[in-house]
Amino acid sequence: MLEFIETTHGNGAPDCAVIWLHGLGADGHDFAGAVPQLALPENLCARFVFPHAPPRPITLNGGMVMRGWFDIAALTEGAVEDEEGMRHSAELVRALIAEQNEKGIATARIVLAGFSQGGALALYTALQYAGRLAGAAVLSAWLPAARSVLANVHEQNRALPIFCAHGAHDSMVPAVFAERSCGQLRAAGFAVRPRLWPVEHGVCAEELRALGAWLAQVLA
């Protein structure tokens, strides 16, 4: 089981959850402080779970060991992808979903979210999850192992609501990644388009408020 930190929002017991995955080299603390910036309504009682990815060597960074959801050889089109690592981490995320179920939160009231590599894993896991989720929020990320994932979308998530946001000036994960991924998703029947914000590889206040509005809608 992954270690994690959590926080809550609202004026009552949580009846929904957001599992938010951090980017490569960060940890669960990275976005824990962003919850107030979502400007969620007080009557939305949500639990936010921020897990820490296990440390692993990352090829892109010369084999340096850091927290990561899967290995990355290169951030270029056609690069070999670590699907074994994705499958392993997706299993860890599924365990977090099961834990929320045990705490009384239905799967249909759970959103998987993530930034950068965490957003890629959130999308990878959500599309193939054997149970209808409330949605997937993908920030500065991409659809990994696209051919494999789109061939194995679970029937219960073929209409999965997806929020996709990206920095227009991102030089680490260029916005074309989001545009290409959304195009692949639209071709598979998903209603999603990237929302671009005037930032580099990060998020801005306006983006977080837009995410909050989307969360309030899918978790209403």
Side-chain angles (χ1 to χ4, degrees):
M1 175 65 72
L2 291 170
E3 295 182 353
F4 59 86
I5 59 174
E6 67 177 42
T7 186
T8 58
H9 171 84
N11 50 18
D15 63 0
C16 60
V18 179
I19 299 172
W20 196 322
L21 310 179
H22 63 76
L24 180 64
D27 63 23
H29 294 278
D30 204 29
F31 281 93
V35 174
Q37 298 179 61
L38 299 172
L40 296 169
E42 283 303 313
N43 63 356
L44 179 64
C45 300
R47 178 182 295 118
F48 285 81
V49 179
F50 300 94
H52 309 300
R56 67 178 68 231
I58 302 297
T59 302
L60 179 68
N61 292 338
M64 185 182 299
V65 174
M66 60 186 64
R67 292 191 182 276
W69 299 108
F70 50 88
D71 190 23
I72 296 179
L75 282 171
T76 55
E77 186 177 4
V80 175
E81 296 186 273
D82 178 22
E83 292 191 57
E84 181 179 353
M86 294 175 203
R87 287 191 291 268
H88 175 72
S89 288
E91 183 62 32
L92 297 176
V93 175
R94 287 193 289 271
L96 291 175
I97 295 172
E99 183 173 344
Q100 294 306 308
N101 294 157
E102 291 170 3
K103 292 180 178 180
I105 295 179
T107 300
R109 301 279 293 149
I110 296 175
V111 167
L112 296 187
F115 174 78
S116 194
Q117 190 191 51
L121 182 65
L123 192 54
Y124 178 92
T125 307
L127 290 170
Q128 299 178 93
Y129 189 73
R132 185 171 67 86
L133 290 158
V138 185
L139 311 177
S140 301
W142 67 96
L143 173 62
R147 182 176 300 178
S148 172
V149 171
L150 294 176
N152 291 284
V153 174
H154 196 277
E155 189 63 34
Q156 294 198 53
N157 283 304
R158 288 198 173 277
L160 181 75
I162 301 172
F163 178 90
C164 178
H166 213 101
H169 310 306
D170 194 333
S171 59
M172 184 175 296
V173 182
V176 67
F177 278 54
E179 293 163 353
R180 182 189 306 122
S181 296
C182 285
Q184 293 167 325
L185 289 163
R186 285 195 303 276
F190 293 92
V192 57
R193 292 187 180 278
R195 301 183 65 175
L196 301 183
W197 304 92
V199 294
E200 244 280 354
H201 192 61
V203 299
C204 61
E206 293 84 356
E207 179 180 343
L208 289 173
R209 286 196 295 271
L211 172 59
W214 179 84
L215 287 171
Q217 179 179 10
V218 300
L219 293 172

